[in-house]
Amino acid sequence: MRTVPVELGARSYQITIGRDLLGRIGAMTSAVAEGASAYIITDTNVGPLYADAVAGSLSAGGYAASVVTFPAGEPNKTLATISDLFDRIFAAPRPPERGSVVVALGGGVAGDMAGFVAATLLRGVAFVQVPTSLLADVDSSVGGKTGVDHATGKNLIGAFHQPRGVFIDTDALATLPPVELASGMAECVKHGIIRDLSLVEWIEQHAGELMGGEPDLLGELIARNVAIKAAVVAADEREAGERAHLNFGHTIGHAIEAVAGFEPGADEQDYLRHGHCVALGMVAANRIAVGRDLLAETDTTRIESLLKAVNLPTRREGLADIDVLGIMRRDKKVRGGAIRFVLPAGALGRVDIHADVTDKEILDAIEYLSGS
Amino acid sequence: MRTVPVELGARSYQITIGRDLLGRIGAMTSAVAEGASAYIITDTNVGPLYADAVAGSLSAGGYAASVVTFPAGEPNKTLATISDLFDRIFAAPRPPERGSVVVALGGGVAGDMAGFVAATLLRGVAFVQVPTSLLADVDSSVGGKTGVDHATGKNLIGAFHQPRGVFIDTDALATLPPVELASGMAECVKHGIIRDLSLVEWIEQHAGELMGGEPDLLGELIARNVAIKAAVVAADEREAGERAHLNFGHTIGHAIEAVAGFEPGADEQDYLRHGHCVALGMVAANRIAVGRDLLAETDTTRIESLLKAVNLPTRREGLADIDVLGIMRRDKKVRGGAIRFVLPAGALGRVDIHADVTDKEILDAIEYLSGS
């Protein structure tokens, strides 16, 4: 079992990573959040697999535990679903009180939604996370971002609300579809590029075992990644400065994701997950960096090889035919401020923010992604 | 013009009270929250009176200002209305960005809803309040409580989000229905009873002029009251301890309000506003205190006379026929913990919390309220 501290002053907490943790959620939760009732928020994919085990553990830990399930998928990450979750929480046999605990069980969507419920239930109650996807393990388990999408954009409604604890059972990754494992790997490669060349090397060495689901190596991977993200977030909790480094690969990646839509299309093979889009975004950002002499050509090639080794795309045919730049501009308009790019700062392992990337550089990079 | 500081560390702000402030909202807002766009959230009662003036002032102050109006009344203080407000804010000519400002214009409901929008728009943006009712002036302008009701109870969904500034134009009180002025006076009397005997005396001396709407006296009244509430909140921002003193009169008052419903009935004269319910709750609490030798009989009589002088009820026929205690118990079940009473501590001007008030004491006090 590994633990990683997230240092946020009075809001500090620990991330616990290990095997066979689901049966111990009750005891671990009671160590960080005393309370009479717990509400497990999960989706229709993850709930049937693990909700009974988590509810049983919370009951054994002394909580009146209720399971509240919502339909899986990003299209359901809305205020309407939140309203439905509140209706069911207030109708639970044991209604919520200030000392209640909200438990997120599932991937990033479950975490974002449960966190928002915790942030706004009775003006804020305790929150613990039990992420079950690699993406949620290494990304949304640190940072305190919670919320829902709006028709005009992702994550436009929400709050910052830190969990009391995050419990990552690496055994849950055994039921994760391989394509989702790959999606999570994109954020791991990203953490290496922005902060830690040795992590890039380590993933290169162990790519095969990791993609094969070796539990202990996955535990080490998660621990290394949450430690990197925790350090970035601790230095900039409300995203005023260096936390923006975590957006490496996301500027173009988000625009590609908007084109790809949030939901699998008819052809499952063709659907891009978040991590797939981030992988393409990282390839594009590296391309821009090479053009500015901020990264060696060999380093781009090296990252592209690594992305392929963890089953992530490095090219996407037809992207040049889509107005990705227009989508970035629209997103910029909604979010405010200039389009900012995070680019490698001379080598892998460190990055800087650039507000002067030109349309031509962006279009050239998208052209590059469209090639073969 | 008077200013009262609210000391909350990094979240400190000032309350400005004066005449003819509406035309200066833009300049005052830009002094506390730089930003490109402002969203004025108001209701169908207050919007037609003042929204144009406030929007004009914000435009003159350099903001792209939009007015977003919702149907007046507590029954509309719901997550569904919040969702509608978000739809219209994101569809505004100038979409919101992190530096945007949300402006609450109206009474308590507008303040609670706008505050919740500000707390959750893009995970939190700047918020300023322009309260237009005496109740909002002296009560919701301090404390940072925001949120909406749920079918199962009031204010069950929300967040703490402090404003950057509160601008109280006492001229707005000229359009306030007299019954609403009386409702606001209940919280003023309450502040006197819990913290400041000299405020009780001052209201006694000026009751007639205050109810007649004398602007300068109303300004002084508001300044004295927000100063009291600010001191209580500063000592206990998240309501862990002495902030509960502000619940004086509210334990039974809230239960009466639940019976009275949130909305005017067929007979407008018969409808109890929040302050009317609090007035009855204070009479009941004083009655319980007299029974415990915590307050002199003459002090209860004195407060009852004062409440009458500011057009507030001290009796409510038929209350004994209603299961007020049952409502209190149900509310306690939803909120958690024991029924706690705030009672005078030997004299007017100070209070203590009591968790051991018996059903008999409560029923006797309600019987007393029902008498003549």
Side-chain angles (χ1 to χ4, degrees):
Chain A
M1 210 158 78
R2 295 173 171 87
T3 58
V4 178
V6 182
E7 306 285 1
L8 297 168
R11 291 179 300 284
S12 296
Y13 63 95
Q14 247 185 7
I15 300 176
T16 306
I17 304 147
R19 301 192 62 174
D20 199 19
L21 290 192
L22 289 187
R24 283 179 276 167
I25 299 296
M28 292 189 298
T29 298
S30 65
V32 295
E34 279 185 49
S37 59
Y39 307 89
I40 301 160
I41 297 182
T42 189
D43 71 23
T44 45
N45 287 340
V46 174
L49 298 173
Y50 305 122
D52 281 354
V54 174
S57 177
L58 285 162
S59 297
Y63 298 89
S66 304
V67 177
V68 184
T69 308
F70 65 91
E74 182 94 24
N76 298 308
K77 203 176 103 175
T78 63
L79 217 43
T81 307
I82 293 287
S83 182
D84 182 53
L85 291 173
F86 274 123
D87 288 346
R88 288 190 287 148
I89 287 171
F90 285 116
R94 173 95 185 204
E97 38 198 78
R98 282 199 173 179
S100 295
V101 185
V102 170
V103 179
L105 173 66
V109 174
D112 286 357
M113 301 249 284
F116 189 58
V117 166
T120 57
L121 176 62
L122 306 178
R123 297 198 192 92
V125 301
F127 174 45
V128 304
Q129 285 177 271
V130 185
T132 60
S133 74
L134 181 60
L135 183 59
D137 291 345
V138 299
D139 194 23
S140 47
S141 66
V142 185
K145 286 186 179 179
T146 76
V148 296
D149 301 329
H150 185 262
T152 52
K154 288 180 76 169
N155 299 316
L156 296 180
I157 301 165
F160 283 94
H161 192 62
Q162 301 295 342
R164 298 282 183 89
V166 177
F167 312 120
I168 299 176
D169 188 334
T170 52
D171 288 340
L173 297 176
T175 60
L176 193 69
V179 70
E180 298 291 348
L181 196 65
S183 177
M185 289 300 297
E187 299 289 347
C188 301
V189 173
K190 180 195 80 177
H191 288 141
I193 296 174
I194 70 168
R195 281 292 183 279
D196 185 2
L197 177 58
S198 78
L199 175 60
V200 172
E201 288 162 357
W202 186 87
I203 299 173
E204 286 171 336
Q205 284 158 22
H206 299 289
E209 296 145 283
L210 289 167
M211 298 314 287
E214 207 290 299
D216 192 62
L217 278 177
L218 285 170
E220 186 173 348
L221 176 77
I222 294 164
R224 288 187 71 154
N225 276 278
V226 296
I228 290 173
K229 182 156 185 191
V232 175
V233 169
D236 178 20
E237 187 178 354
R238 297 312 280 275
E239 204 165 23
E242 73 163 273
R243 186 162 170 176
H245 289 179
L246 295 167
N247 293 335
F248 177 69
H250 285 62
T251 310
I252 289 181
H254 272 153
I256 295 174
E257 201 171 353
V259 179
F262 300 152
E263 191 63 343
D267 184 354
E268 177 72 10
Q269 288 308 309
D270 211 43
Y271 166 62
L272 298 180
R273 264 75 177 172
H274 177 71
H276 298 69
C277 300
V278 170
L280 292 167
M282 292 193 290
V283 170
N286 282 348
R287 192 72 207 161
I288 293 171
V290 167
R292 292 181 164 220
D293 283 331
L294 295 170
L295 192 68
E297 183 87 42
T298 49
D299 283 330
T300 342
T301 317
R302 178 178 180 181
I303 294 299
E304 291 185 25
S305 299
L306 177 55
L307 292 173
K308 285 177 195 159
V310 294
N311 298 334
L312 285 167
T314 60
R315 297 288 186 283
R316 177 72 167 183
E317 215 182 311
L319 259 192
D321 304 329
I322 294 166
D323 185 18
V324 175
L325 183 60
I327 293 163
M328 290 168 64
R329 284 214 192 91
R330 207 179 57 202
D331 192 53
K332 165 196 165 280
K333 193 183 163 216
V334 172
R335 298 292 186 150
I339 296 181
R340 287 167 182 276
F341 267 87
V342 181
L343 299 177
L348 297 174
R350 53 179 199 261
V351 286
D352 276 329
I353 298 171
H354 299 258
D356 64 347
V357 173
T358 64
D359 288 358
K360 183 170 186 317
E361 287 175 284
I362 296 169
L363 291 170
D364 284 351
I366 292 165
E367 184 73 38
Y368 176 79
L369 286 182
S370 307
S372 52
Chain B
M1 209 159 78
R2 296 173 171 88
T3 58
V4 179
V6 182
E7 306 285 1
L8 297 167
R11 291 178 301 282
S12 297
Y13 63 95
Q14 246 184 8
I15 300 176
T16 306
I17 305 146
R19 301 191 64 173
D20 199 20
L21 289 192
L22 289 187
R24 283 179 276 166
I25 298 295
M28 292 190 297
T29 299
S30 65
V32 295
E34 278 184 48
S37 59
Y39 307 89
I40 301 160
I41 297 182
T42 188
D43 69 23
T44 46
N45 288 340
V46 174
L49 297 173
Y50 305 122
D52 280 353
V54 173
S57 177
L58 285 162
S59 296
Y63 298 90
S66 303
V67 177
V68 185
T69 308
F70 65 89
E74 182 95 23
N76 298 308
K77 203 176 104 175
T78 63
L79 216 43
T81 307
I82 292 287
S83 182
D84 182 52
L85 292 173
F86 274 123
D87 288 347
R88 287 189 288 147
I89 287 171
F90 285 116
R94 174 96 184 204
E97 38 198 79
R98 281 199 174 180
S100 295
V101 185
V102 170
V103 180
L105 173 65
V109 173
D112 286 359
M113 301 250 284
F116 189 59
V117 167
T120 57
L121 176 62
L122 306 178
R123 297 199 191 92
V125 301
F127 174 45
V128 304
Q129 285 177 270
V130 185
T132 60
S133 74
L134 182 60
L135 183 58
D137 291 344
V138 300
D139 194 24
S140 46
S141 65
V142 185
K145 287 185 178 181
T146 76
V148 295
D149 301 329
H150 184 263
T152 51
K154 288 180 75 169
N155 299 316
L156 295 181
I157 301 165
F160 283 94
H161 193 61
Q162 301 295 342
R164 296 282 183 89
V166 178
F167 312 120
I168 299 176
D169 188 334
T170 51
D171 289 339
L173 297 176
T175 59
L176 193 69
V179 68
E180 298 292 349
L181 196 65
S183 177
M185 289 300 298
E187 299 288 348
C188 301
V189 173
K190 180 195 80 177
H191 288 141
I193 296 174
I194 69 168
R195 282 291 184 280
D196 184 0
L197 177 58
S198 77
L199 175 60
V200 173
E201 288 163 357
W202 185 86
I203 300 173
E204 285 171 337
Q205 284 157 21
H206 300 289
E209 296 145 283
L210 289 167
M211 297 315 287
E214 208 289 300
D216 193 61
L217 278 178
L218 285 170
E220 187 174 348
L221 176 77
I222 294 164
R224 290 186 71 154
N225 276 279
V226 295
I228 291 172
K229 182 157 184 189
V232 175
V233 169
D236 178 21
E237 187 179 353
R238 298 310 284 265
E239 205 166 23
E242 73 164 273
R243 188 164 170 174
H245 290 180
L246 296 167
N247 292 334
F248 177 69
H250 284 61
T251 310
I252 288 179
H254 271 153
I256 294 173
E257 200 170 354
V259 179
F262 300 152
E263 190 63 342
D267 183 356
E268 177 72 8
Q269 289 307 311
D270 211 43
Y271 166 62
L272 298 181
R273 264 77 176 169
H274 177 71
H276 298 70
C277 300
V278 170
L280 293 167
M282 292 193 290
V283 170
N286 282 348
R287 191 73 207 160
I288 293 171
V290 167
R292 290 181 166 222
D293 283 329
L294 294 171
L295 192 68
E297 183 87 42
T298 49
D299 283 330
T300 343
T301 317
R302 178 178 180 182
I303 293 300
E304 290 184 26
S305 299
L306 177 56
L307 293 173
K308 285 176 198 159
V310 295
N311 297 335
L312 285 167
T314 59
R315 298 288 187 283
R316 177 71 167 184
E317 213 181 313
L319 259 192
D321 303 329
I322 294 166
D323 185 18
V324 175
L325 183 59
I327 293 162
M328 291 169 63
R329 284 213 192 93
R330 206 179 57 203
D331 193 54
K332 165 195 166 284
K333 194 183 164 215
V334 173
R335 299 291 185 149
I339 296 180
R340 286 167 183 278
F341 266 87
V342 181
L343 299 177
L348 297 173
R350 52 179 199 263
V351 286
D352 276 328
I353 298 171
H354 299 258
D356 63 347
V357 173
T358 64
D359 288 358
K360 181 168 188 317
E361 287 175 282
I362 296 170
L363 291 171
D364 284 352
I366 292 165
E367 183 72 39
Y368 176 79
L369 286 182
S370 306
S372 53

